[in-house]
Amino acid sequence: MSLLSRCAMRILLLGAGGFIGRHILSELLASGHQVRAVARDVARLREAEPGAEWVAIDLARATDPEDWRAHLSGIDCVVNAAGVLRGPEMQAVHVDMPRALHAACKRVEVRRVVLISAVSARPDVATDYAATKLAGEAALRDSGLRWTIFRPSLVIAESSYGGTSLLRGLAALPFAQPLAGDGDFTFSPIHADDLARSVRLACEDLWFVGQSFEPAGPETLTLRELMTRYRSWLGLGPSRFVRVPMPVMRALGRIGDLAGSGPISTNSLTQLVAGNAADGTAFAQAVGFRPRSVAQAMRDRAAGVQDRWHARLFFLAPAIRWGLALLWLASALLGLFAGRAQTLEWLAAIGAPEGAALPLQIGTALLDLAIAALVIRDRTARTATAAQLAVVTGYTLVLTLGLPSLWADPLGPLLKNIPILLLILVHGAIGDRR
């Protein structure tokens, strides 16, 4: 070990609010290092982990070396755990921003950078994710800095995100579990804590400089085997698989691309098919410890009711979001084109002029369309939830004022607003996936 491992370091951690980044942050802090943690939104993160110095930076916009100079003051090592699987920001986050960061590091003499890439980021994988990840690796190698690159296989933990959340969601589906193709795509899962420990060692030990590693656990499992283990861990009974042909899976991926945040996308599917296996024995020898297997991780931490909730809600969360969006869209169209009689009835009940009917129909239709767009676009669901609660409550009070008899209508036009409000609250509780 180098002398660096004997003293506390000051480390700049990018992507500190992400699934892998949070584990790296915990490992670095537990080992006595000081961490300047970078994320886009740090308000909640600062409360959850006050031991770090949090800095709010939109990485997609931090593409000039001057954006980084002030944040590199006193830093000994940079760990870049930032990444996006889809979207227009991929080139900026994986390539342009790191190049600016590397240039700033050279100017202020920060010599060490550790990059988290992916084992499926290969030239033969035809996705923009793989291409930009590879370009980011090349940018680091060509930077003149002391670099280390980790290209992990599937990363698992007690919590989950991305691919591991998808696996849990698929495993928890009732009746039968859909299996992409023959289900023989391979993974060598590594626990996030073991990956974080490896990153910490790379920060401390100069032996890791100038090398690329493929973090992997001791087991290589197929997709079928992983789903079987997750279903057993969740305590949901034996697996009953239904094979889904790959053309159907690709069609679902394209639908996910159009939706923008669906559970499946073309990129994630292509990365899955590409294979994510690696040599766990070689990695254990390189880092000097044996990472846990999937079996050990599941044995050491039994699944609880919260895990089953999360797995069962994985596909329900986007379904609720799109269901609410369609509800608002239908409300807008029906109110505009088929709601004149009801509008006139309400206006007469409150003594308003009949001429107000059309402006009222157009105004409420535009409001409903705006709410539908907000539900679709709001990534955290916070603003969309508040807006929906306010509008549904407002509609309910206004209709009650003019037509209180609607509460006794056997079709329940107002009574239905109660479960709708509850569904909106559920969406608000589970809509933020970060």
Side-chain angles (χ1 to χ4, degrees), residues 57-69:
I57 300 177
D58 184 348
L59 297 181
R61 298 179 180 274
T63 54
D64 187 292
E66 288 303 314
D67 295 328
W68 291 102
R69 288 188 59 150

Side-chain angles (χ1 to χ4, degrees), residues 85 90 119-134 250 254 257 265-275:
L85 186 58
M90 203 175 299
V119 71
S120 57
R122 306 192 307 265
D124 61 302
V125 181
T127 67
D128 47 1
Y129 174 81
T132 54
K133 276 291 188 181
L134 285 172
R250 283 189 281 271
R254 285 191 287 271
D257 294 340
S265 67
T266 298
N267 271 2
S268 61
L269 182 61
T270 304
Q271 300 293 138
L272 167 73
V273 172

